[in-house]
Amino acid sequence: MSYAATERGDDRQRLTRPEPDTATAAVDGLSSEGTRPTLDRRAFLAGLGAVGLAGLAGCTGGGTEFASGVSGVTSVEDARASVVRIVAQGSFVDPQVGYQANSAGSGTGFIIDPSGIAVTNNHVVTGAATLEVFANGRSYNAKVLGVSECSDLAVIEITGGEFQALQWYDGPIQTNLEVWALGFPLGDPNYTVTRGIISKQASTVHTVWASVDGVLEHDARIRPGNSGGPLVDERGRVVGVNYAGDDKFDINLAISAPLARGIVEDLRQGRNVNTIGINGRAVRSDDGSISGVWVSSVESGSPASRAGIEPADIIVRMEGLTLGRDGSMKDYCDILRSRNADDVLSVQVLRFTTGEILSGEVNGAPLQSVLPAGGGGGGDGGSSNSGDSSGSAAGYANYRRVSDNSGSIVVDVPAEWSDVDGRAFEIGPGLVAAPDVDAYNSGYSTPGVSILASRDLSRDPDVVLDEFSFPACTASGRGNYSDGKFTGRVSRYESCDGRDTAIVVIAAVPPDGSYTVLVVVQLVAPRDAEALDAIVTSFDVTGSV
């Protein structure tokens, strides 16, 4: 390559600019996210702990046959026509990245009734404003009929078509049963099949977003985007509904057919099961002082919505029980499974955006503030980070548009990021913006953004991301990126140098593939997530590269 990536003493790989009087150069710092449409963070980030950033199943009243009573599926290959890709679009609040406006997440589903009834995961569809289903080369609208938070199941109805349905597997599910995972992993519209066996029979697994009693462990590899897709036997019958995986340990999990069938029947009749209407996940601070269920989105008109629960709330207590102490949804789901759907449930909520504590009831008295905000803001209580005053979660008051010296790159940044270096990099135009560019370039305590556009970078985004890694941080995953103009890949790093600092790196190309743009954003406090959204919404290459 025509540039040098240098390792600093802190093990942070930077792009280093050439000194004015040196012949050879290196390049200097970078990160991303937003609404053009925005980065598919829901599928990407949720997928780090689940197979996530879909599927459907339904039975007759007896719960033994599909509505059609017959199916033309007799093999794994036949099943392909019954597997659908689901794109759910809405606005969500991620506990790590922040507000995601018009974010589109992708999952998998499968048809259980020729009329268009399908099964998927709750975490794929709940809280979404729109559902678009792709099947047999066409696009369809869909609506949610019913969901189960704790079993991570949902049933949707696809309108405007006739479909081929799958049947449930009705034999004993034993270890060594050969299975195939069908779906659309990693947001790729291309259909994928992986093969394996059942390695462990039904057990109870508590995750950060569900608590499922009937779980199958298998080795048919699944990835984010496989969520809600079917796990089938050699005859194409549904053995389970894929919903989670762990890349590190190569663990792949599916909700077993015996559990799913009964719940799906309730859901297709419009009866929600073990839910208050949120898309949430268990969270716990490092010191254990705060734990609960983080609310990413709320279904309109649901019990949670009527109670006044909002996205970015943390439900810290329910019925007097502290939630999420073990980092899972177990306690939350145990409470829901011990109550009827219309029972009154006391709740206490931490409103992360303001720092206030609210108490109220689900199916009862709405939330009221019992402890006002202390002025410090969200998660870190206003802890300071050198270089700016961004310890607050209140957000930035003002933004301004900045550009590089040549006017080729533009981006909106917080007005407090007043130190801007618009000099070109050795291999193309670029800029760096931060409260203090030197502090941003040299450590992890100051937020900021770096953007480079170059014809000398590889057009393969994964190659670029591999070059610009951050050894002093913990890599938390990589996913697809698309914003309406640039497409590529995005990586995220956390716990940089032992701090709460996170770094987001985007490598992407325009439609003609004539150059590569590299964006790096460093986040050191909750409100920097808002800055991240603004950056990815606004960054553009408007001049020559």
Side-chain angles (χ1 to χ4, degrees):
M1 292 188 178
S2 60
Y3 64 92
T6 60
E7 290 290 324
R8 296 280 178 95
D10 61 357
D11 286 333
R12 178 188 180 106
Q13 183 171 329
R14 290 289 194 180
L15 295 173
T16 5
R17 282 195 174 87
E19 293 299 325
D21 56 353
T22 57
T24 49
V27 193
D28 226 315
L30 309 202
S31 197
S32 112
E33 215 192 0
T35 337
R36 218 173 22 224
T38 173
L39 159 67
D40 184 2
R41 278 196 307 249
R42 183 161 72 106
F44 171 53
L45 293 173
L48 300 183
V51 177
L53 298 358
L56 279 225
C59 314
T60 62
T64 57
E65 296 290 336
F66 293 104
S68 63
V70 296
S71 171
V73 178
T74 59
S75 69
V76 175
E77 181 58 33
D78 290 344
R80 177 173 185 165
S82 305
V83 181
V84 301
R85 178 170 171 254
I86 300 172
V87 175
Q89 183 164 323
S91 295
F92 304 86
V93 182
D94 184 88
Q96 296 170 308
V97 180
Y99 181 68
Q100 307 163 66
N102 296 349
S103 177
S106 174
T108 303
F110 60 94
I111 304 294
I112 57 166
D113 188 290
S115 66
I117 306 299
V119 177
T120 189
N121 288 145
N122 172 73
H123 77 259
V124 171
V125 300
T126 291
T130 64
L131 296 179
E132 185 176 14
V133 175
F134 297 88
N136 301 322
R138 289 187 55 191
S139 169
Y140 302 87
N141 292 324
K143 64 181 180 181
V144 175
L145 297 181
V147 298
S148 173
E149 290 173 33
C150 292
S151 297
D152 200 13
L153 288 168
V155 170
I156 63 174
E157 183 178 17
I158 306 166
T159 58
E162 283 289 325
F163 304 91
Q164 175 177 273
L166 296 182
Q167 293 182 338
W168 294 107
Y169 179 87
D170 56 7
I173 300 176
Q174 298 176 337
T175 56
N176 210 37
L177 175 68
E178 197 166 21
V179 290
W180 287 258
L182 315 179
F184 301 90
L186 304 177
D188 191 332
N190 293 310
Y191 178 74
T192 300
V193 179
T194 56
R195 182 179 183 177
I197 62 169
I198 299 295
S199 52
K200 185 181 292 185
Q201 291 174 274
S203 58
T204 298
V205 175
H206 308 297
T207 65
V208 297
W209 71 97
S211 178
V212 183
D213 291 328
V215 177
L216 302 171
E217 185 175 325
H218 61 88
D219 61 2
R221 201 72 177 267
I222 55 178
R223 289 291 181 271
N226 274 118
S227 285
L231 184 72
V232 302
D233 73 341
E234 64 181 355
R235 292 173 54 190
R237 298 173 300 182
V238 180
V239 176
V241 183
N242 288 312
Y243 84 108
D246 187 321
D247 285 351
K248 181 178 179 181
F249 299 104
D250 193 19
I251 294 174
N252 310 280
L253 303 176
I255 305 158
S256 68
L259 172 70
R261 292 179 72 169
I263 295 174
V264 163
E265 178 57 26
D266 280 337
L267 302 185
R268 70 178 298 179
Q269 300 301 325
R271 297 189 292 267
N272 291 332
V273 178
N274 300 324
T275 183
I276 63 171
I278 66 170
N279 197 327
R281 59 181 298 181
V283 292
R284 182 179 182 275
S285 62
D286 290 340
D287 62 4
S289 59
I290 299 176
S291 67
V293 176
W294 174 280
V295 180
S296 295
S297 62
V298 180
E299 180 186 2
S300 298
S302 66
S305 176
R306 294 194 299 271
I309 294 173
E310 300 177 355
D313 282 350
I314 301 176
I315 305 173
V316 292
R317 290 188 180 85
M318 180 176 282
E319 288 294 278
L321 190 66
T322 300
L323 305 179
R325 292 171 300 174
D326 62 351
S328 82
M329 296 283 272
K330 179 183 183 302
D331 290 338
Y332 171 80
C333 289
D334 283 349
I335 292 171
L336 294 188
R337 287 179 172 130
S338 301
R339 304 293 192 281
N340 296 316
D342 56 356
D343 283 352
V344 176
L345 301 172
S346 66
V347 292
Q348 186 178 82
V349 168
L350 167 61
R351 184 140 291 164
F352 192 76
T353 53
T354 64
E356 63 184 318
I357 300 294
L358 304 97
S359 288
E361 297 171 333
V362 174
N363 296 319
L367 293 173
Q368 291 187 333
S369 178
V370 295
L371 182 62
D380 60 3
S383 60
S384 63
N385 293 281
S386 66
D388 79 333
S389 58
S390 61
S392 169
Y396 290 98
N398 297 293
Y399 285 77
R400 66 183 185 125
R401 175 150 291 194
V402 298
S403 66
D404 70 308
N405 292 351
S406 71
S408 296
I409 298 172
V410 295
V411 65
D412 293 342
V413 299
E416 294 174 34
W417 296 11
S418 57
D419 194 3
V420 178
D421 186 344
R423 292 175 296 159
F425 295 114
E426 182 192 19
I427 57 173
L431 68 80
V432 181
D436 182 328
V437 166
D438 288 339
Y440 162 73
N441 282 335
S442 61
Y444 297 95
S445 61
T446 301
V449 59
S450 302
I451 303 176
L452 163 68
S454 175
R455 294 179 181 273
D456 292 335
L457 289 171
S458 170
R459 300 301 190 273
D460 184 338
D462 282 311
V463 171
V464 177
L465 294 179
D466 287 342
E467 289 290 331
F468 293 95
S469 60
F470 296 85
C473 309
T474 300
S476 59
R478 183 177 294 185
N480 294 325
Y481 176 81
S482 178
D483 62 14
K485 177 173 182 178
F486 297 99
T487 58
R489 299 277 281 167
V490 56
S491 290
R492 182 178 174 90
Y493 298 85
E494 299 178 291
S495 303
C496 296
D497 199 30
R499 302 170 181 266
D500 289 334
T501 299
I503 295 174
V504 177
V505 187
I506 294 174
V509 297
D512 65 2
S514 59
Y515 60 88
T516 298
V517 62
L518 182 64
V519 182
V520 178
V521 183
Q522 180 159 288
L523 305 91
V524 301
R527 68 174 177 169
D528 294 332
E530 171 192 289
L532 177 66
D533 284 331
I535 289 166
V536 179
T537 301
S538 63
F539 88 87
D540 204 356
V541 179
T542 58
S544 60
V545 175

